[in-house]
Amino acid sequence: MTNTADVLKEKGLKVTPQRIAIYTILKNSYNHPTAEDIYKELVVSNPTISLATVYKTLDSFCKVGLVKELHIVNEHSNYDAQMDDHIHMICLNCNKIFDYKSSGFEGLSDEISKECGFDIKSHHITFYGVCKDCKSHEE
Ligand code: ZN
Ligand code: MN
């Protein structure tokens, strides 16, 4: 396991305590936090941090491909440090974003490449619906 400082260095980023703190939060979260969510969590232990710093840091993470910015739910972007291939499922009721890892991915990419002669570099697949929790409240 490489540590966070090494991960940042590998991407050519200067290692600062704030960058380490922000990346650590993202890497350990699976709920696709917004910049505000990250800020609220950080400010408890880092009272001097600003929301602008969080935004700037997330921006530099996105630029080097450390984190993905998702524009799928509302005016606030969500951030995802899980860089392995996965599908997103978005609940139209509670707006939560869930991950789903499917082995069907590769087959579909291969099929598209073959049929269309298209070189796929990245993709973003999103399904919209109602999550299990919301469904059980509806019933
Ligand atoms: Zn829901
Ligand atoms: Mn995700």
Side-chain angles (χ1 to χ4, degrees):
M1 259 325 258
T2 42
N3 69 38
T4 304
D6 289 339
V7 172
L8 296 177
K9 266 187 245 162
E10 249 166 55
K11 294 286 185 183
L13 292 171
K14 222 179 99 194
V15 178
T16 67
Q18 291 181 330
R19 280 187 172 158
I20 288 180
I22 292 170
Y23 185 68
T24 303
I25 287 181
L26 262 172
K27 192 66 199 169
N28 294 327
S29 70
Y30 291 84
N31 59 345
H32 311 89
T34 62
E36 283 84 358
D37 294 333
I38 294 169
Y39 170 72
K40 276 183 210 149
E41 191 172 334
L42 265 179
V43 78
V44 180
S45 48
N46 303 264
T48 57
I49 203 161
S50 71
L51 181 57
T53 301
V54 175
Y55 270 113
K56 257 187 270 165
T57 304
L58 289 170
D59 217 47
S60 57
F61 286 174
C62 289
K63 280 196 185 117
V64 297
L66 202 55
V67 162
K68 266 184 290 190
E69 182 179 3
L70 314 175
H71 310 267
I72 36 187
V73 179
N74 48 36
E75 69 274 24
H76 300 293
S77 295
N78 297 82
Y79 293 88
D80 198 347
Q82 316 305 326
M83 297 302 277
D84 51 341
D85 279 348
H86 61 274
I87 287 169
H88 286 129
M89 297 174 292
I90 298 180
C91 177
L92 295 167
N93 188 56
C94 66
N95 279 349
K96 278 190 189 130
I97 305 170
F98 303 91
D99 290 337
Y100 184 74
K101 282 176 194 151
S102 167
S103 53
F105 249 144
E106 269 174 54
L108 184 59
S109 298
D110 286 351
E111 189 185 315
I112 292 170
S113 297
K114 260 189 219 132
E115 302 257 326
C116 311
F118 192 81
D119 225 0
I120 296 171
K121 302 288 186 199
S122 70
H123 51 243
H124 186 192
I125 302 174
T126 307
F127 292 100
Y128 296 85
V130 180
C131 77
K132 238 194 232 168
D133 276 355
C134 290
K135 242 172 39 189
S136 68
H137 294 312
E138 273 172 8
E139 276 153 18

